[in-house]
């Protein structure tokens, strides 16, 4: 196993452990109407602002609410596939939520991300930052099943300082 694969597996394991610990700690707090966590499953097109072209892939994230009306944490993983490249983004966003109505929420998020890229068979690892706007829609007003749209801007602090914009769209599934 090379160093890049080791870092990728270690990051996935750490993210999974973090999510499980947070979900178990919040289960005692979820006696009210709100779910303990929200699972986001979707798809994301991404465009490089530095001429790197387009990439596309699935995305999965878990969102928890440690401070109702003040803070939501979202941890996610997104593999992006483009021409001659593959990129794995693992992020942790700190979001400020606003409830617009029973059926709609809006959040602004900011946080770090770890980026594992492979372009033309050359693998690199770097740290970046992400800013995201999150629009969540709950058609029945109950926070059990909904959908979301999340436009984002990413900045890679590594070599080349790549920048990209994306919009992830998908389903929201409440975890009781």
């Amino acid at each position: 196993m090379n160093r890049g694969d080791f870092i990728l597996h270690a990051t996935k394991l750490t993210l999974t452990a973090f999510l499980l610990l947070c979900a178990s700690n919040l289960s005692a707090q979820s006696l009210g109407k709100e779910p303990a966590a929200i699972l986001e499953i979707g798809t994301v097109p991404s465009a490089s602002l530095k001429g790197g072209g387009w990439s596309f892939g699935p995305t999965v994230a878990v969102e928890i609410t440690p401070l109702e009306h003040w803070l939501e944490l979202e941890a996610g993983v997104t593999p992006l596939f483009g021409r001659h490249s593959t990129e794995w983004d693992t992020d942790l966003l700190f979001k400020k939520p606003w409830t617009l109505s029973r059926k709609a929420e809006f959040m602004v998020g900011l946080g770090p991300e770890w980026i594992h890229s492979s372009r033309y068979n050359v693998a690199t690892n770097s740290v970046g930052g992400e800013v995201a706007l999150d629009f969540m829609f709950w058609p029945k007003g109950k926070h059990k099943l909904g959908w979301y749209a999340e436009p984002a801007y990413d900045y890679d602090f590594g070599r080349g300082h790549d920048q990209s914009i994306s919009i992830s769209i998908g389903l929201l599934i409440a975890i009781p």
Side-chain angles (χ1 to χ4, degrees):
M1 179 182 294
N2 67 31
R3 185 172 184 239
D5 288 340
F6 176 76
I7 292 171
L8 179 64
H9 291 298
T11 301
K12 287 180 187 177
L13 183 61
T14 303
L15 179 62
T16 302
F18 169 77
L19 295 175
L20 290 174
L21 285 172
C22 289
S24 66
N25 288 339
L26 288 176
S27 63
Q29 298 176 8
S30 63
L31 298 176
K33 289 183 171 183
E34 293 296 317
I38 303 291
L39 177 65
E40 297 180 1
I41 300 172
T43 185
V44 58
S46 178
S48 173
L49 299 176
K50 292 247 180 164
W54 285 86
S55 55
F56 186 80
T59 184
V60 64
V62 174
E63 188 174 281
I64 60 171
T65 307
L67 297 171
E68 185 130 8
H69 305 295
W70 287 100
L71 177 65
E72 296 203 8
L73 299 175
E74 178 185 299
V77 175
T78 304
L80 295 167
F81 306 97
R83 187 172 184 176
H84 305 291
S85 69
T86 301
E87 179 175 298
W88 283 81
D89 296 340
T90 305
D91 61 13
L92 176 64
L93 294 177
F94 298 84
K95 295 181 172 183
K96 168 61 176 131
W98 287 276
T99 301
L100 304 177
S101 72
R102 247 184 40 203
K103 296 182 177 185
E105 296 177 49
F106 171 71
M107 292 179 236
V108 175
L110 174 70
E113 68 179 333
W114 175 74
I115 304 159
H116 174 77
S117 300
S118 177
R119 290 185 177 90
Y120 298 102
N121 296 323
V122 176
T124 59
N125 293 294
S126 59
V127 175
E130 181 177 358
V131 177
L133 305 176
D134 193 357
F135 300 91
M136 301 172 95
F137 304 97
W138 306 93
K140 296 188 178 189
K142 297 178 181 177
H143 291 194
K144 294 186 182 208
L145 186 64
W147 64 278
Y148 72 95
E150 186 174 299
Y153 167 79
D154 297 288
Y155 185 88
D156 186 344
F157 296 117
R159 180 183 232 173
H161 299 284
D162 193 25
Q163 300 173 51
S164 62
I165 56 171
S166 62
I167 182 164
S168 54
I169 298 169
L171 292 176
L172 299 169
I173 302 167
I175 300 172

